[in-house]
Amino acid sequence: MRSHRCGALRAEHVGTRVRLGGWVHRRRDLGGLIFLDLRDRDGIVQVAIGPEWTPPEVLELATNLSTESVVLVSGAVVGRPEEARNPDMATGDVEVHADRLEVIGQAELEALPIPVWRTKGEDPPAEELRLLHRHLDLRRPELQRNLALRHRLLQRTRTALTSLGFYEIETPILTKPTPEGARDYLVPSRVHRGQFYALPQSPQIYKQILMISGFDRYFQLARCFRDEDLRADRQPEFTQIDIEASFVAPDDVYSVLETLFLALWDEAGHSITAPFRRIPFHDAMEHYGTDKPDLRYEVMLTDLSDVLTGRGFRAFDEALSSGGRVRGLRVPGGAALSRRDLEALTAVAKEAGAGGLATLRRKGTNLSGPLAKLEGLSAEIAGLDDGDLLLATAGADEVTSRALDPVRRAVIARLDLPPTTAHAFAWVDEFPLFERDPETGAVMFAHHPFTAPHPADAGQLLRGERAGVRALHYDLVYNGHELGSGSIRITDAELQLRILELLGISKAEAHQRFGFLLRALRAGAPPHGGFAVGFDRVVMLLAGAESLRDVIAFPKTTAARALFEDAPTDLDPAELNELALKVDNA
RNA sequence: GGGGCUGUAGCUCAGCUGGUUAGAGUGCCGGUCUGUCACACCGGAGGCCGCGGGUUCAAGUCCCGUCAGCCCCGCCA
């Protein structure tokens, strides 16, 4: 039907006849001469309609053509006059002199509540309208580009992992509910009245079974479902690149993932280098206050207890004597921040739970700020060069970390510090295996209950100690975003039972919930481990999009609603009855 | 579950301490126009001011509730 795509035409096509299909992006009717911008997924080309080359009936058609209608155009590709070229368009050196025009799909005005074409600088239509009229929103070149990139990244994932010896294997979408972790999306069974499937939160157990079955290396572009409240970077259904490999240690997993990420970033036009940096969890918390530090910037947290206590600042001295520390940031050039900026930083710290944020600015030899009156504190002792700023807060490490991470990011933003690199990847490892619920004090999984303990901490674990036990768990962090996480799994059924027991899950309960995994582990399990990449987030970052909704064709709203197709919906009583369900709207 | 922001013409927005006929740009309709590319110019139509209640002589504007979208906290092993 077509000879070319609109966006493909170039100077080399001049002199050829083409047949194009596309949407009327814009129309400029100059009276005797009409220009159409014809759009398809590859781009836009100008179609010129004029009495010298266009028959009168086609001219007539073009005069009444509405934007967003679908047309088939035939004509000759001609070079534009020198002064009429458009350097901002990929096809701007040429145009198509149309002599045939068929209107295939007339776009009715009422069917176009939101514009596809948008004036430069104008805000996009409300998100609600964009989602409601998704078929129109998706016509916009940005979203076409984003989804094209998503496609290329998916294909690159397949080729990269395939050439590393991975098999793509699908796992069930209808699976077994898991009481731990996120809430499951549940699916009632018609055949087994009163029983339910769950949609997978991830294919975790299935991929372990595949390793035990001897497939050696598995990946899947897995759809996952979690019934939890949404965020800008969280959708109820999402895609992860799910990976598992046998006979591996963490280094082997890192190497696979580094190869994959080199390929993905290359696909988006970025050259990055491996191996990635490694940071133990403890160091990340100590130097950045978070387990997903943005390592593009050099500013780091430091322990200021020695420097700032014993000098008559009561809040600091008290924190130290009750087991806390004074921690903060030395910010080169930070003295340039205004008083208003410093107040804003203090607000950030307090918002994050700090008691306050004390400041010390050095300009020349002059020290100013609340810390300037500390006894015997000099610029040298404080470690400040001319123009530097010191920020400090005191308390338990959890409190100061939680506060100083956002303070650090706010300082970087306010000073507009230059990044030392555009792409800062790092592995964060040596996570604790357990964590405590801050309210109940109960011990919980820090990750999932199949994560292997660090072999160096096996002794502690055997003695029943839990506090300092590390896990063979790792996160991949990029520019302050967590791209994914993984671990080496437990392959010993006895150890698996013991870990579950430490978490208060009895043997009987363990068998009821995870029996199929335990049974498999007893049948000869290879050492194995893997990783899961948050694919939507990767696409979002590489596309430069601000929301996951801009890299997902049909996303949900923050209330987990699908506006375009209007889901979820009520069911007929007959349908409910068949599923043995009653809706109680009390 | 909690907090914040937003809701005015098809779309994007303005609308002051409550005051007479609710505006702009764009799109749309009609007209002029042969080198535009945000075409230009002339004219026109277009409003449940999200919804419900209240205060007031008077509400787009103030108050209460509610719905929707977005952002954040909790949550997301």
Side-chain angles (χ1 to χ4, degrees):
Chain A
M1 205 179 261
R2 294 175 301 180
S3 66
H4 296 77
R5 289 216 179 81
C6 301
L9 297 184
R10 295 290 184 275
E12 69 196 72
H13 297 102
V14 168
T16 61
R17 269 195 71 78
V18 294
R19 190 151 191 248
L20 304 174
W23 285 257
V24 178
H25 192 60
R26 297 281 291 164
R27 205 170 58 91
R28 290 176 296 281
D29 186 343
L30 272 57
L33 198 59
I34 300 171
F35 295 105
L36 303 178
D37 287 342
L38 196 62
R39 183 192 74 234
D40 63 21
R41 74 168 199 210
D42 278 2
I44 292 172
V45 71
Q46 174 164 284
V47 174
I49 292 166
E52 288 148 47
W53 59 83
T54 310
E57 68 276 12
V58 171
L59 250 158
E60 173 70 23
L61 254 184
T63 305
N64 297 308
L65 200 52
S66 57
T67 52
E68 293 307 314
S69 291
V70 174
V71 296
L72 275 172
V73 169
S74 302
V77 180
V78 297
R80 294 202 205 175
E82 183 78 44
E83 67 282 1
R85 288 184 193 162
N86 186 343
D88 298 329
M89 282 176 88
T91 61
D93 287 341
V94 300
E95 62 190 12
V96 174
H97 281 197
D99 48 45
R100 287 188 61 192
L101 176 70
E102 291 170 72
V103 181
I104 304 293
Q106 178 80 32
E108 298 165 27
L109 184 63
E110 313 80 73
L112 297 168
I114 61 168
V116 174
W117 179 88
R118 197 196 305 158
T119 311
K120 267 177 205 139
E122 186 176 86
D123 289 346
E127 190 93 29
E128 188 178 356
L129 295 173
R130 292 180 49 199
L131 294 174
L132 189 60
H133 310 291
R134 193 60 169 172
H135 59 301
L136 295 175
D137 198 38
L138 285 170
R139 288 184 183 179
R140 288 168 40 226
E142 296 104 292
L143 289 194
Q144 295 262 326
R145 251 197 318 274
N146 289 352
L147 290 177
L149 174 67
R150 187 179 178 116
H151 160 76
R152 299 202 329 262
L153 294 171
L154 284 170
Q155 296 318 307
R156 197 68 186 262
T157 299
R158 288 199 161 97
T159 54
L161 291 175
T162 300
S163 62
L164 287 170
F166 285 80
Y167 287 174
E168 184 172 4
I169 301 176
E170 294 148 285
T171 54
I173 294 295
L174 293 177
T175 177
K176 182 174 178 169
T178 52
E180 301 78 18
R183 267 186 290 272
D184 287 317
Y185 277 99
L186 298 171
V187 180
S189 163
R190 176 185 56 82
V191 179
H192 305 282
R193 288 171 68 86
Q195 296 197 317
F196 293 83
Y197 301 97
L199 305 181
Q201 296 177 28
S202 83
Q204 179 61 36
I205 294 181
Y206 291 113
K207 65 176 175 177
Q208 291 190 232
I209 305 283
L210 290 171
M211 294 305 97
I212 296 167
S213 299
F215 286 101
D216 199 85
R217 295 188 153 202
Y218 142 95
F219 82 98
Q220 183 178 194
L221 301 162
R223 305 301 299 274
C224 305
F225 307 86
R226 291 181 191 172
D227 187 5
E228 294 293 345
D229 290 340
L230 273 47
R231 291 285 186 281
D233 61 352
R234 238 158 56 190
Q235 281 274 308
E237 62 179 304
F238 57 97
T239 302
Q240 65 184 33
I241 304 173
D242 196 43
I243 294 173
E244 195 78 5
S246 296
F247 303 101
V248 291
D251 282 0
D252 301 305
V253 178
Y254 295 173
S255 161
V256 165
L257 268 296
E258 283 163 0
T259 302
L260 173 63
F261 276 91
L262 247 60
L264 295 180
W265 258 243
D266 175 68
E267 189 62 46
H270 305 296
S271 175
I272 58 169
T273 53
F276 301 155
R277 249 179 99 165
R278 296 183 194 184
I279 305 178
F281 171 81
H282 178 268
D283 290 4
M285 296 306 293
E286 180 62 23
H287 297 312
Y288 304 98
T290 172
D291 60 359
K292 45 177 182 174
D294 190 342
L295 298 169
R296 286 175 297 174
Y297 305 96
E298 281 164 341
V299 183
M300 293 202 319
L301 312 188
T302 48
D303 186 338
L304 298 166
S305 303
D306 290 349
V307 179
L308 296 179
T309 56
R311 299 187 186 278
F313 200 92
R314 217 176 58 194
F316 288 179
D317 294 346
E318 280 173 3
L320 193 70
S321 59
S322 58
R325 292 192 290 161
V326 182
R327 298 171 71 204
L329 293 159
R330 278 192 194 91
V331 187
L337 290 175
S338 68
R339 198 170 160 155
R340 182 188 291 261
D341 287 323
L342 295 181
E343 279 168 11
L345 291 176
T346 304
V348 166
K350 285 185 172 172
E351 173 76 14
L357 187 70
T359 62
L360 182 66
R361 276 196 286 187
R362 177 177 172 185
K363 283 184 176 168
T365 54
N366 177 42
L367 292 178
S368 64
L371 293 174
K373 52 183 186 290
L374 261 62
E375 293 162 26
L377 184 64
S378 65
E380 287 65 37
I381 293 172
L384 295 184
D385 289 328
D386 186 15
D388 290 357
L389 168 72
L390 188 70
L391 299 168
T393 188
D397 286 356
E398 306 84 74
V399 173
T400 53
S401 284
R402 198 180 152 80
L404 289 170
D405 164 39
V407 166
R408 174 178 179 265
R409 284 184 279 125
V411 163
I412 289 165
R414 281 186 181 258
L415 281 172
D416 200 17
L417 292 178
T420 56
T421 169
H423 309 282
F425 284 89
W427 295 105
V428 178
D429 59 8
E430 299 186 18
F431 278 82
L433 185 59
F434 303 106
E435 65 187 13
R436 263 178 206 289
D437 187 310
E439 277 161 31
T440 65
V443 177
M444 306 186 306
F445 315 118
H447 316 287
H448 57 62
F450 319 117
T451 303
H454 199 291
D457 300 335
Q460 289 177 59
L461 195 61
L462 284 173
R463 290 194 299 274
E465 294 171 26
R466 287 173 291 200
V469 177
R470 291 165 295 170
L472 287 180
H473 174 101
Y474 31 83
D475 279 2
L476 181 60
V477 170
Y478 169 74
N479 293 355
H481 301 270
E482 185 197 316
L483 294 186
S485 64
S487 64
I488 302 300
R489 324 300 182 186
I490 296 170
T491 41
D492 180 283
E494 290 312 314
L495 178 61
Q496 182 67 75
L497 273 172
R498 194 169 159 67
I499 294 273
L500 292 170
E501 216 168 338
L502 279 172
L503 294 157
I505 297 175
S506 71
K507 252 186 196 150
E509 206 179 345
H511 279 286
Q512 195 255 318
R513 288 193 201 167
F514 307 116
F516 60 122
L517 176 65
L518 292 167
R519 234 172 24 246
L521 286 176
R522 288 188 204 285
H528 63 276
F531 203 79
V533 178
F535 182 69
D536 307 276
R537 199 172 293 179
V538 166
V539 182
M540 179 175 110
L541 290 167
L542 288 176
E546 282 177 15
S547 164
L548 280 190
R549 293 183 297 274
D550 287 347
V551 296
I552 296 174
F554 300 101
K556 304 283 190 285
T557 68
T558 45
R561 212 192 293 275
L563 294 182
F564 183 62
E565 63 271 40
D566 189 25
T569 58
D570 296 326
L571 285 186
D572 288 339
E575 294 173 289
L576 285 172
N577 190 43
E578 190 168 41
L579 297 168
L581 294 178
K582 277 200 180 110
V583 174
D584 181 4
N585 272 325

